[in-house]
Amino acid sequence: MSIRDQEMRDTWEASFEEQIASGAYNTAPVEALVRSVSYYLRDRYVANELPDLQFAELGCGAGPNLVWLAEKGITVSGVDISPTALGLARESLERSGLVERVGALLEGSVTDVALPDASLDGALESCVFQHLNREDREASFREVDRLVRPGGVFVGHMLEQGHTVFQQHAGEQLSDDPGTLQLDEGGSRYYLTNIGLSHFFTREEIQSLFSGWSLVEPCLSQYELPPSEARKRGYDSYLQSMLVVYAIK
Ligand SMILES: C[S@@+](CC[C@H](N)C(=O)[O-])C[C@H]1O[C@@H](n2cnc3c(N)ncnc32)[C@H](O)[C@@H]1O
């Protein structure tokens, strides 16, 4: 494991330790993924008659999206740098009686995924690639391109530059990686301002990363957090600004 991967593992292990202690880790399927994957399946298959599809989530965390996919009868694999997160994902799949739907749960980086070329009908990521430096982000998008078979889908859910945190810190963008902030304001390690590096994507950037794909739709999704949640993050108001990327290879 490279030093950079070890650092990422340490960061996310510490984050999950705090998230477990405060019950803050995500246990609900991410709406943007559910919606986009549902569109993809509806477009191609008759409801309740899915063939044996193979999906993977890159940076699967505690596994709520894997559970949702597996409940539909899809074979799921999860990749995560944090062994604690993978353990939570495994437990959650077991608790839901979905173990036979698991392809592989892989501890490692999304920059180098131990799955064969063109082995996936779908690759998903939610709030993972945004925490990688430029070199690793590019490697991860290359992995998506390698793993997804022609006709397969990529769904991503990632920070966009209208986000409150980006708007407030725009003057601190890294000079060699525009759109990226390196924030460490102390406090809970599961907030953007404390997790270290965060990249805020643009639509144009996504279009160019997927230039060889047949369809790319980066859709802007914005919503205000309730005031109580905004205050927990140290803001009076807090706009989540995300790109939902739906791309067909
Ligand atoms: C914000 S959480 C999102 C988890 C999950 N996708 C969800 O929507 O609930 C980010 C996840 O990415 C994982 N992660 C961060 N960097 C990674 C990397 N380089 N390779 C694999 N996983 C990584 C973390 O361990 C964590 O589980």
Side-chain angles (χ1 to χ4, degrees):
M1 190 178 258
S2 71
I3 290 175
R4 170 89 192 123
D5 287 353
Q6 282 173 32
E7 283 171 3
M8 278 193 286
R9 186 187 58 191
D10 292 348
T11 298
W12 284 98
E13 281 291 275
S15 176
F16 270 97
E17 198 177 307
E18 283 188 34
Q19 293 186 52
I20 289 169
S22 54
Y25 63 86
N26 182 29
T27 53
V30 174
E31 189 210 347
L33 301 188
V34 168
R35 188 170 0 113
S36 304
V37 171
S38 298
Y39 285 141
Y40 177 76
L41 297 177
R42 196 181 306 166
D43 193 38
R44 280 165 178 71
Y45 305 106
V46 176
N48 304 321
E49 290 181 29
L50 295 183
D52 183 19
L53 298 173
Q54 308 280 330
F55 274 56
E57 184 177 4
L58 308 182
C60 60
N65 302 308
L66 297 181
V67 169
W68 179 78
L69 290 163
E71 281 170 345
K72 301 190 89 57
I74 292 171
T75 300
V76 293
S77 293
V79 181
D80 207 287
I81 198 98
S82 154
T84 301
L86 271 186
L88 291 170
R90 190 175 297 109
E91 275 171 27
S92 185
L93 286 155
E94 282 170 4
R95 235 187 353 263
S96 306
L98 293 164
V99 171
E100 77 283 3
R101 283 281 156 218
V102 177
L105 292 176
L106 302 166
E107 186 184 321
S109 178
V110 294
T111 55
D112 184 13
V113 179
L115 291 172
D117 296 359
S119 58
L120 297 178
D121 299 287
L124 314 181
E125 81 81 48
S126 177
C127 302
V128 179
F129 292 2
Q130 65 195 29
H131 296 302
L132 306 179
N133 68 21
R134 181 161 58 190
E135 189 184 340
D136 287 348
R137 274 197 317 277
E138 288 172 359
S140 306
F141 283 106
R142 276 198 302 277
E143 280 299 76
V144 168
D145 192 40
R146 179 182 73 77
L147 291 166
V148 175
R149 65 162 179 77
V153 68
F154 168 76
V155 179
H157 182 231
M158 50 195 79
L159 293 165
E160 192 273 342
Q161 296 193 355
H163 197 286
T164 291
V165 171
F166 186 77
Q167 291 296 315
Q168 297 229 344
H169 293 272
E172 300 162 39
Q173 291 175 67
L174 301 187
S175 55
D176 59 350
D177 189 9
T180 299
L181 301 174
Q182 179 78 45
L183 297 175
D184 198 354
E185 298 185 346
S188 300
R189 293 235 211 153
Y190 45 89
Y191 290 148
L192 271 189
T193 40
N194 310 321
I195 196 74
L197 184 150
S198 295
H199 181 74
F200 297 74
F201 289 85
T202 64
R203 273 202 175 105
E204 295 69 30
E205 188 178 355
I206 297 297
Q207 298 275 10
S208 90
L209 281 162
F210 284 93
S211 56
W213 288 47
S214 65
L215 171 81
V216 186
E217 290 181 355
C219 152
L220 186 62
S221 167
Q222 294 189 317
Y223 51 95
E224 286 279 351
L225 290 188
S228 57
E229 277 296 324
R231 278 194 294 277
K232 278 189 199 165
R233 291 163 168 76
Y235 292 87
D236 292 331
S237 65
Y238 191 101
L239 182 72
Q240 288 277 26
S241 188
M242 308 295 294
L243 283 172
V244 182
V245 181
Y246 179 86
I248 308 290
K249 188 164 179 191

